[in-house]
Amino acid sequence: MIPILAIAGTTLGEAIRRKVLLIILLIGLGLLIVTPGLQQLSPRQANTVVIAFGLGVIQMVGALVAVVLTISLIPQEIERRTIYTILAKPVQRHQFLIGKFLGSVATILVLMAMMTVVFILVFYFAPGQEKQLPPNLWQGPTLFFLQMVILAAVAMFFSTFVSPLVNFFLSFGVYVVGNLANPLFESLASGRGVSEIARVGAVLIHYVLPNFANYNVQNPIINPESVVGSPQVYVIQVLLYAVVYTSILLLGSVLIFDRREV
């Protein structure tokens, strides 16, 4: 456990100093700071517009950080040959990979928490803004973080056998399809005149790809009347889903990385 935590801490320290992540963070913070100005676009629903945009910025920046950071962790260590120094010590390959993953997750957590705090401060201190945040606002950043943990696990899995550029498009492709698959599956499953091949294909995509749509909760937050069931139970369910899916992806990553020549 100690080698894993040491690698995770080192990964977090290196990631925070990376210029590309700082640029993504600064762009996100800049968008959050100008968010209150959007209330002019819809004065009657200023609160809704500002909250929806702020949550969207946090989600977008989280996705960029998760993919851009994770796709280069393993290839970068191999290219710099620092992996040989690390693996020459009493560190197993699975410890190295899990430590890298936990470091990337910690980085995502720090950056998303920072953006959430800035969003709340901007919301309350911006002049002319209606000072009323929904009590269930915490669900948005929390579920977005779980979404990014799965996305980081997807990028980590691909990083064990494809190049960073291919990994970038693969990971974002899975993210986009994973967000759209659930509505598409429901449409095909209930639609009339849908061929059996299309129905089977939709079922396969639904169960193989991670269902990122489970973590998109903007509508229940900005429209409290649309909440269905218990929010606490729902959060626990999607938390378990994230744990199971991430564990499967990490297991696959370890199995591939153990057999890879570096």
Side-chain angles (χ1 to χ4, degrees):
M1 194 64 188
I2 293 178
I4 293 176
L5 295 178
I7 293 172
T10 304
T11 303
L12 172 62
E14 292 175 349
I16 290 178
R17 292 192 293 272
R18 287 185 62 178
K19 293 181 180 178
V20 63
L21 295 186
L22 291 177
I23 291 173
I24 295 174
L25 177 64
L26 289 176
I27 293 174
L29 293 176
L31 290 173
L32 289 179
I33 291 173
V34 303
T35 296
L38 297 176
Q39 59 183 317
Q40 305 298 329
L41 300 178
S42 181
R44 292 185 178 181
Q45 296 181 329
N47 211 37
T48 300
V49 172
V50 171
I51 293 173
F53 186 80
L55 290 176
V57 171
I58 294 173
Q59 184 182 25
M60 178 192 68
V61 171
L64 280 174
V65 170
V67 173
V68 172
L69 171 62
T70 312
I71 61 174
S72 60
L73 286 179
I74 302 299
Q76 193 176 52
E77 295 287 353
I78 296 175
E79 183 179 348
R80 294 177 177 174
R81 298 182 180 276
T82 51
I83 191 172
Y84 302 113
T85 305
I86 297 173
L87 295 181
K89 299 177 181 178
V91 177
Q92 301 297 318
R93 288 195 178 197
H94 72 274
Q95 294 174 322
F96 173 79
L97 190 141
I98 294 174
K100 284 290 180 184
F101 176 74
L102 292 180
S104 68
V105 168
T107 306
I108 296 167
L109 176 63
V110 170
L111 297 185
M112 292 187 72
M114 186 184 304
M115 295 195 64
T116 302
V117 171
V118 170
F119 172 58
I120 293 174
L121 292 176
V122 168
F123 186 89
Y124 277 112
F125 288 101
Q129 175 64 39
E130 184 182 348
K131 316 296 183 185
Q132 184 179 359
L133 283 174
N136 59 343
L137 179 70
W138 62 272
Q139 292 180 22
T142 301
L143 295 188
F144 289 158
F145 171 69
L146 294 177
Q147 191 181 57
M148 300 318 152
V149 171
I150 299 176
L151 182 57
V154 171
M156 177 65 77
F157 175 75
F158 286 136
S159 74
T160 57
F161 59 92
V162 299
S163 67
L165 181 61
V166 176
N167 191 354
F168 180 85
F169 290 106
L170 278 176
S171 298
F172 266 114
V174 170
Y175 184 63
V176 172
V177 176
N179 273 295
L180 301 176
N182 196 41
L184 178 64
F185 167 75
E186 293 177 352
S187 175
L188 291 175
S190 60
R192 295 181 178 178
V194 179
S195 67
E196 193 61 26
I197 295 177
R199 199 185 304 276
V200 171
V203 171
L204 287 176
I205 292 174
H206 179 71
Y207 285 106
V208 172
L209 293 182
N211 188 352
F212 290 110
N214 285 338
Y215 303 88
N216 295 329
V217 292
Q218 290 96 328
N219 285 337
I221 292 176
I222 60 179
N223 298 308
E225 64 276 6
S226 65
V227 173
V228 177
S230 170
Q232 290 76 17
V233 173
Y234 183 76
V235 171
I236 293 174
Q237 289 175 341
V238 294
L239 171 62
L240 291 176
Y241 180 87
V243 170
V244 171
Y245 210 98
T246 301
S247 299
I248 293 172
L249 285 171
L250 286 181
L251 178 61
S253 303
V254 169
L255 292 175
I256 295 174
F257 191 58
D258 274 343
R259 290 162 175 75
R260 177 178 175 179
E261 292 185 4
V262 295

